[in-house]
Short mmCIF file of all heavy atoms in Angstrom, two decimals:
data_model
loop_
_atom_site.label_atom_id
_atom_site.label_comp_id
_atom_site.label_asym_id
_atom_site.label_seq_id
_atom_site.Cartn_x
_atom_site.Cartn_y
_atom_site.Cartn_z
N ARG A 853 -0.10 8.99 2.58
CA ARG A 853 1.33 8.79 2.59
C ARG A 853 1.58 7.22 2.85
O ARG A 853 2.52 6.65 2.22
CB ARG A 853 1.98 9.59 3.66
CG ARG A 853 2.11 11.05 3.20
CD ARG A 853 2.79 11.94 4.28
NE ARG A 853 2.99 13.25 3.75
CZ ARG A 853 3.27 14.28 4.55
NH1 ARG A 853 3.38 14.13 5.89
NH2 ARG A 853 3.47 15.43 4.02
N SER A 854 0.83 6.66 3.74
CA SER A 854 0.96 5.24 4.02
C SER A 854 0.68 4.38 2.79
O SER A 854 1.38 3.43 2.45
CB SER A 854 0.17 4.78 5.25
OG SER A 854 0.59 5.45 6.35
N LEU A 855 -0.46 4.73 2.17
CA LEU A 855 -0.88 3.99 0.98
C LEU A 855 0.14 4.12 -0.13
O LEU A 855 0.53 3.11 -0.77
CB LEU A 855 -2.24 4.49 0.51
CG LEU A 855 -3.04 3.60 -0.42
CD1 LEU A 855 -3.37 2.32 0.18
CD2 LEU A 855 -4.23 4.30 -0.87
N ALA A 856 0.68 5.30 -0.29
CA ALA A 856 1.69 5.53 -1.31
C ALA A 856 2.93 4.77 -0.97
O ALA A 856 3.57 4.18 -1.87
CB ALA A 856 2.01 7.08 -1.38
N GLY A 857 3.33 4.73 0.27
CA GLY A 857 4.52 3.96 0.66
C GLY A 857 4.32 2.47 0.42
O GLY A 857 5.26 1.83 -0.03
N LEU A 858 3.20 1.99 0.66
CA LEU A 858 2.94 0.56 0.46
C LEU A 858 2.95 0.22 -1.04
O LEU A 858 3.32 -0.90 -1.42
CB LEU A 858 1.57 0.18 1.05
CG LEU A 858 1.55 0.05 2.58
CD1 LEU A 858 0.15 0.01 3.09
CD2 LEU A 858 2.34 -1.18 3.03
N THR A 859 2.59 1.19 -1.89
CA THR A 859 2.67 0.91 -3.34
C THR A 859 3.98 1.28 -3.90
O THR A 859 4.29 1.00 -5.12
CB THR A 859 1.55 1.68 -4.07
OG1 THR A 859 1.69 3.07 -3.86
CG2 THR A 859 0.15 1.19 -3.69
N GLY A 860 4.88 1.86 -3.16
CA GLY A 860 6.29 2.13 -3.55
C GLY A 860 6.48 3.33 -4.39
O GLY A 860 7.54 3.48 -5.09
N VAL A 861 5.54 4.25 -4.49
CA VAL A 861 5.67 5.44 -5.33
C VAL A 861 6.56 6.44 -4.58
O VAL A 861 6.70 6.46 -3.36
CB VAL A 861 4.37 6.10 -5.77
CG1 VAL A 861 3.55 5.11 -6.55
CG2 VAL A 861 3.58 6.57 -4.54
N GLU A 862 7.12 7.38 -5.33
CA GLU A 862 7.93 8.41 -4.71
C GLU A 862 7.07 9.50 -4.01
O GLU A 862 5.92 9.70 -4.39
CB GLU A 862 8.82 9.12 -5.79
CG GLU A 862 9.85 8.11 -6.38
CD GLU A 862 10.78 8.84 -7.36
OE1 GLU A 862 10.92 10.14 -7.25
OE2 GLU A 862 11.35 8.18 -8.19
N GLU A 863 7.66 10.10 -3.04
CA GLU A 863 7.02 11.16 -2.31
C GLU A 863 6.60 12.28 -3.35
O GLU A 863 7.37 12.58 -4.28
CB GLU A 863 7.89 11.78 -1.29
CG GLU A 863 7.22 12.76 -0.36
CD GLU A 863 8.10 13.27 0.80
OE1 GLU A 863 9.03 12.55 1.17
OE2 GLU A 863 7.86 14.31 1.31
N GLY A 864 5.43 12.76 -3.16
CA GLY A 864 4.94 13.86 -4.05
C GLY A 864 4.16 13.36 -5.24
O GLY A 864 3.68 14.11 -6.07
N THR A 865 4.04 12.03 -5.42
CA THR A 865 3.26 11.44 -6.50
C THR A 865 1.78 11.91 -6.33
O THR A 865 1.21 11.83 -5.21
CB THR A 865 3.28 9.91 -6.50
OG1 THR A 865 4.62 9.48 -6.68
CG2 THR A 865 2.45 9.31 -7.62
N PRO A 866 1.16 12.42 -7.41
CA PRO A 866 -0.25 12.82 -7.30
C PRO A 866 -1.20 11.78 -6.81
O PRO A 866 -1.02 10.60 -7.07
CB PRO A 866 -0.60 13.23 -8.74
CG PRO A 866 0.73 13.52 -9.42
CD PRO A 866 1.68 12.57 -8.76
N VAL A 867 -2.15 12.22 -6.00
CA VAL A 867 -3.12 11.33 -5.40
C VAL A 867 -3.74 10.43 -6.45
O VAL A 867 -3.98 9.21 -6.23
CB VAL A 867 -4.17 12.10 -4.60
CG1 VAL A 867 -5.32 11.24 -4.17
CG2 VAL A 867 -3.56 12.79 -3.39
N ALA A 868 -4.19 10.94 -7.58
CA ALA A 868 -4.79 10.13 -8.66
C ALA A 868 -3.92 8.95 -9.08
O ALA A 868 -4.41 7.89 -9.37
CB ALA A 868 -5.20 11.02 -9.86
N GLU A 869 -2.61 9.21 -9.19
CA GLU A 869 -1.71 8.10 -9.52
C GLU A 869 -1.58 7.07 -8.44
O GLU A 869 -1.58 5.88 -8.73
CB GLU A 869 -0.31 8.67 -9.88
CG GLU A 869 -0.23 9.38 -11.15
CD GLU A 869 1.15 9.93 -11.46
OE1 GLU A 869 2.13 9.19 -11.14
OE2 GLU A 869 1.25 11.06 -11.94
N VAL A 870 -1.53 7.51 -7.20
CA VAL A 870 -1.54 6.57 -6.07
C VAL A 870 -2.77 5.75 -6.06
O VAL A 870 -2.74 4.51 -5.95
CB VAL A 870 -1.32 7.33 -4.72
CG1 VAL A 870 -1.44 6.35 -3.55
CG2 VAL A 870 -0.01 8.04 -4.67
N GLU A 871 -3.91 6.41 -6.27
CA GLU A 871 -5.21 5.71 -6.27
C GLU A 871 -5.25 4.64 -7.40
O GLU A 871 -5.69 3.52 -7.16
CB GLU A 871 -6.32 6.70 -6.44
CG GLU A 871 -7.71 6.11 -6.42
CD GLU A 871 -8.76 7.12 -6.51
OE1 GLU A 871 -8.57 8.18 -7.00
OE2 GLU A 871 -9.91 6.77 -6.08
N ALA A 872 -4.78 5.01 -8.58
CA ALA A 872 -4.78 4.04 -9.74
C ALA A 872 -3.89 2.88 -9.45
O ALA A 872 -4.21 1.68 -9.73
CB ALA A 872 -4.38 4.76 -10.99
N LEU A 873 -2.69 3.11 -8.91
CA LEU A 873 -1.75 2.04 -8.63
C LEU A 873 -2.31 1.15 -7.45
O LEU A 873 -2.25 -0.07 -7.54
CB LEU A 873 -0.40 2.57 -8.23
CG LEU A 873 0.70 1.58 -8.06
CD1 LEU A 873 0.86 0.74 -9.30
CD2 LEU A 873 2.03 2.25 -7.73
N ALA A 874 -2.90 1.76 -6.46
CA ALA A 874 -3.47 0.97 -5.35
C ALA A 874 -4.55 0.07 -5.84
O ALA A 874 -4.75 -1.05 -5.38
CB ALA A 874 -4.01 1.94 -4.26
N ALA A 875 -5.35 0.52 -6.84
CA ALA A 875 -6.40 -0.29 -7.38
C ALA A 875 -5.84 -1.51 -8.19
O ALA A 875 -6.50 -2.54 -8.23
CB ALA A 875 -7.28 0.49 -8.34
N ALA A 876 -4.63 -1.41 -8.68
CA ALA A 876 -3.96 -2.49 -9.40
C ALA A 876 -3.31 -3.55 -8.48
O ALA A 876 -3.13 -4.71 -8.85
CB ALA A 876 -2.98 -1.92 -10.39
N TYR A 877 -2.97 -3.10 -7.27
CA TYR A 877 -2.36 -3.99 -6.28
C TYR A 877 -3.34 -5.01 -5.79
O TYR A 877 -4.50 -4.82 -5.81
CB TYR A 877 -1.78 -3.18 -5.17
CG TYR A 877 -0.28 -2.82 -5.25
CD1 TYR A 877 0.15 -2.00 -6.29
CD2 TYR A 877 0.59 -3.32 -4.36
CE1 TYR A 877 1.51 -1.70 -6.39
CE2 TYR A 877 1.95 -2.98 -4.43
CZ TYR A 877 2.36 -2.14 -5.47
OH TYR A 877 3.68 -1.85 -5.58
N ARG A 878 -2.77 -6.18 -5.29
CA ARG A 878 -3.55 -7.07 -4.55
C ARG A 878 -3.31 -6.82 -3.03
O ARG A 878 -2.17 -6.71 -2.61
CB ARG A 878 -3.18 -8.51 -4.84
CG ARG A 878 -3.75 -8.87 -6.25
CD ARG A 878 -3.25 -10.25 -6.69
NE ARG A 878 -1.92 -10.02 -7.16
CZ ARG A 878 -1.15 -10.97 -7.64
NH1 ARG A 878 -1.55 -12.20 -7.65
NH2 ARG A 878 0.10 -10.70 -8.08
N TRP A 879 -4.35 -6.69 -2.27
CA TRP A 879 -4.26 -6.31 -0.86
C TRP A 879 -4.70 -7.44 0.06
O TRP A 879 -5.72 -8.13 -0.29
CB TRP A 879 -5.13 -5.06 -0.59
CG TRP A 879 -4.59 -3.87 -1.28
CD1 TRP A 879 -5.01 -3.46 -2.56
CD2 TRP A 879 -3.58 -2.99 -0.94
NE1 TRP A 879 -4.30 -2.36 -2.95
CE2 TRP A 879 -3.40 -2.02 -2.00
CE3 TRP A 879 -2.78 -2.85 0.19
CZ2 TRP A 879 -2.52 -1.01 -1.92
CZ3 TRP A 879 -1.83 -1.82 0.27
CH2 TRP A 879 -1.73 -0.93 -0.81
N TYR A 880 -4.07 -7.55 1.23
CA TYR A 880 -4.46 -8.63 2.14
C TYR A 880 -4.32 -8.06 3.55
O TYR A 880 -3.48 -7.13 3.80
CB TYR A 880 -3.48 -9.81 2.06
CG TYR A 880 -3.47 -10.45 0.68
CD1 TYR A 880 -2.53 -10.02 -0.31
CD2 TYR A 880 -4.30 -11.50 0.34
CE1 TYR A 880 -2.51 -10.60 -1.52
CE2 TYR A 880 -4.28 -12.09 -0.88
CZ TYR A 880 -3.39 -11.67 -1.86
OH TYR A 880 -3.36 -12.19 -3.02
N SER A 881 -5.12 -8.53 4.41
CA SER A 881 -4.90 -8.31 5.86
C SER A 881 -4.40 -9.68 6.41
O SER A 881 -4.73 -10.73 5.73
CB SER A 881 -6.13 -7.87 6.58
OG SER A 881 -7.21 -8.79 6.50
N PHE A 882 -3.72 -9.65 7.46
CA PHE A 882 -3.23 -10.94 8.00
C PHE A 882 -3.26 -10.95 9.51
O PHE A 882 -3.34 -9.97 10.17
CB PHE A 882 -1.83 -11.30 7.46
CG PHE A 882 -0.70 -10.48 8.00
CD1 PHE A 882 0.03 -10.93 9.05
CD2 PHE A 882 -0.34 -9.29 7.41
CE1 PHE A 882 1.10 -10.11 9.54
CE2 PHE A 882 0.69 -8.48 7.86
CZ PHE A 882 1.46 -8.95 8.91
N GLY A 883 -3.22 -12.18 10.04
CA GLY A 883 -3.19 -12.37 11.50
C GLY A 883 -2.23 -13.55 11.80
O GLY A 883 -1.95 -14.33 10.93
N THR A 884 -1.75 -13.53 13.06
CA THR A 884 -0.78 -14.63 13.42
C THR A 884 -1.14 -15.05 14.85
O THR A 884 -1.87 -14.39 15.57
CB THR A 884 0.65 -14.12 13.46
OG1 THR A 884 0.87 -13.28 14.57
CG2 THR A 884 0.99 -13.44 12.16
N ASP A 885 -0.61 -16.17 15.21
CA ASP A 885 -0.74 -16.60 16.58
C ASP A 885 0.58 -16.43 17.34
O ASP A 885 0.88 -17.09 18.34
CB ASP A 885 -1.12 -18.10 16.59
CG ASP A 885 -0.10 -19.07 15.94
OD1 ASP A 885 0.87 -18.49 15.40
OD2 ASP A 885 -0.31 -20.24 16.00
N SER A 886 1.41 -15.50 16.89
CA SER A 886 2.74 -15.32 17.45
C SER A 886 2.77 -14.64 18.78
O SER A 886 3.82 -14.69 19.45
CB SER A 886 3.60 -14.48 16.46
OG SER A 886 3.14 -13.15 16.40
N GLY A 887 1.69 -13.98 19.17
CA GLY A 887 1.72 -13.20 20.40
C GLY A 887 2.20 -11.76 20.21
O GLY A 887 2.13 -10.96 21.17
N TRP A 888 2.69 -11.42 19.03
CA TRP A 888 3.14 -10.08 18.78
C TRP A 888 1.98 -9.09 18.73
O TRP A 888 2.11 -7.96 19.24
CB TRP A 888 3.90 -10.08 17.42
CG TRP A 888 4.67 -8.78 17.17
CD1 TRP A 888 5.98 -8.53 17.53
CD2 TRP A 888 4.28 -7.66 16.41
NE1 TRP A 888 6.37 -7.29 17.16
CE2 TRP A 888 5.29 -6.70 16.41
CE3 TRP A 888 3.14 -7.28 15.69
CZ2 TRP A 888 5.29 -5.51 15.76
CZ3 TRP A 888 3.01 -6.08 15.08
CH2 TRP A 888 4.12 -5.21 15.07
#
């Protein structure tokens, strides 16, 4: 559900579609010095 939300698909989208879209996205992790 989190992965689907990050890719912007609607609830109930089949897992295979979420997986294919996730593969097409560019993903990053990030860090800050903000103290948050």
